[in-house]
């Protein structure tokens, strides 16, 4: 997640996950190279890695579209959370005056590190800004930026 716009009247946060896309693109490249090599040597088995490369390329296309945009706008008095992914386009709009603060929701696993995501607190509900959980300091930075912006 990154802060795209931070003005007194408007805060825009974008999340465009690219790590999965890069991994899928690399696997598609490997599958394509193996398929071309097998086809070059006349093997009918070339169809398998070439088909895999095609499927992975389609997955890269769908992952490329995935993004989340969060807009807090004082001129309209609304907070808008827009998700675009393979499930389509969905939006949640909240009144800005109802947002108490931003927090970081955390899930702890006994096997790995904690994963977190930023959420807006409205009454007793948490409205997540991303559908995916993240690791690293990003959710904390985003929550702090939102809280600082709300305090202005």
């Amino acid at each position: 997640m990154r802060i795209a716009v931070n003005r007194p009247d408007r805060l825009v946060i974008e999340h465009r996950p690219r790590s999965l896309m890069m991994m899928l693109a690399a696997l598609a490249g490997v599958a394509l190279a193996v398929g071309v090599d097998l086809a070059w040597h006349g093997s009918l088995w070339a169809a398998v890695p070439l088909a895999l490369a095609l499927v992975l390329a389609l997955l890269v296309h769908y992952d490329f579209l995935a993004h989340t945009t969060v807009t807090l706008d004082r001129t309209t008095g609304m907070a808008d959370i827009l998700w675009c992914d393979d499930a389509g386009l969905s939006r949640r709009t909240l009144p800005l005056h109802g947002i108490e603060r931003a927090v970081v929701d955390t899930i702890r696993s006994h096997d790995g590190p904690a994963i977190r995501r930023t959420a807006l607190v409205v009454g007793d509900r948490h409205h997540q800004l991303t559908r995916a959980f993240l690791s690293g300091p990003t959710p904390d930075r985003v929550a702090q930026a939102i809280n600082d912006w709300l305090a202005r």
Side-chain angles (χ1 to χ4, degrees):
M1 296 186 88
R2 71 178 188 93
I3 310 297
V5 175
N6 190 353
R7 297 190 318 242
D9 64 329
R10 188 178 182 99
L11 178 67
V12 178
I13 300 161
E14 293 181 339
H15 177 63
R16 296 183 180 269
R18 295 296 173 245
S19 57
L20 177 62
M21 183 187 67
M22 297 303 290
M23 183 183 70
L24 290 173
L27 288 174
V30 168
L32 181 63
V34 168
V36 167
D37 184 54
L38 287 173
W40 185 264
H41 291 91
S43 174
L44 293 177
W45 286 102
V48 174
L50 291 174
L52 178 63
L54 178 63
V55 169
L56 289 171
L58 289 172
L59 290 174
V60 167
H61 169 73
Y62 283 114
D63 189 52
F64 184 76
L65 298 175
H67 71 275
T68 302
T69 304
V70 180
T71 305
L72 284 74
D73 193 341
R74 284 199 170 97
T75 58
T76 63
M78 302 302 285
D80 191 47
I81 307 169
L82 177 69
W83 295 283
C84 180
D85 55 22
D86 58 343
L89 186 68
S90 57
R91 169 177 276 152
R92 176 175 292 149
T93 303
L94 305 167
L96 198 57
H97 65 81
I99 298 172
E100 298 170 17
R101 67 189 180 286
V103 296
V104 177
D105 291 338
T106 303
I107 293 179
R108 300 201 184 277
S109 170
H110 64 281
D111 290 343
I115 51 175
R116 304 165 312 165
R117 64 182 170 189
T118 309
L120 298 176
V121 177
V122 178
D124 61 347
R125 296 206 46 203
H126 286 207
H127 297 277
Q128 283 76 23
L129 301 187
T130 60
R131 293 186 174 160
F133 283 89
L134 308 169
S135 60
T138 302
D140 294 314
R141 283 197 318 255
V142 170
Q144 187 62 49
I146 292 171
N147 289 331
D148 291 346
W149 187 86
L150 289 171
R152 288 185 197 168

